[in-house]
Structure formats: C-alpha cells, structure tokens
Amino acid sequence: MTNSSPGVGNVVGVAQQDGLETPPNLPEHRTTTMEKGRFCMAHCSCGWRGPARRARSQARTDAERHATP
C-alpha cells in the first residue's frame, strides 16, 4: 500500500524570511520595543516582530534595522 501524500514533518512550499527586510508596499514603519519578563522584543506596525533579546539595546537595534530601507 502506498501513500502519495507528504509524510508527517515535511514542509512544502514555505519561503524563508529573515525578518529584517521592510515590505515594499508599506511606506512607514513605526517600531516599538516591548518587555516580557527578562526579555525585550521589537515590534512594528506592519506586523513584524524581532527575536526576544535580553539586551534592550539589541532589541532597539533590531527595530532600527527593520525600519531603515
């Protein structure tokens, strides 16, 4: 008996996204940082979220890199 569907754990047709690129159709990006416990994350009005960082300065840098074309 053969099964033509992908097996469990297979990912098909997913694009890689690094998270620092600004979408071309949104001219303005308003970024903020948000703290959750010991971590700080950058967020943008376009829906982008940066990785959780222990250093607030690194979260701010993530936000600046995202908002700068």
Side-chain angles (χ1 to χ4, degrees):
M1 179 182 242
T2 61
N3 186 353
S4 62
S5 64
V8 174
N10 290 341
V11 178
V12 179
V14 177
Q16 181 68 28
Q17 181 178 3
D18 90 23
L20 295 178
E21 297 176 18
T22 52
N25 57 345
L26 296 173
E28 183 181 359
H29 291 269
R30 289 173 290 180
T31 56
T32 58
T33 56
M34 190 173 184
E35 292 188 24
K36 187 170 185 180
R38 295 181 179 175
F39 295 94
C40 188
M41 292 174 278
H43 292 260
C44 183
S45 59
C46 74
W48 171 86
R49 291 182 182 192
R53 305 283 192 175
R54 287 190 183 239
R56 289 183 191 101
S57 61
Q58 186 60 50
R60 286 191 294 268
T61 300
D62 292 340
E64 289 172 11
R65 286 182 180 165
H66 171 75
T68 306

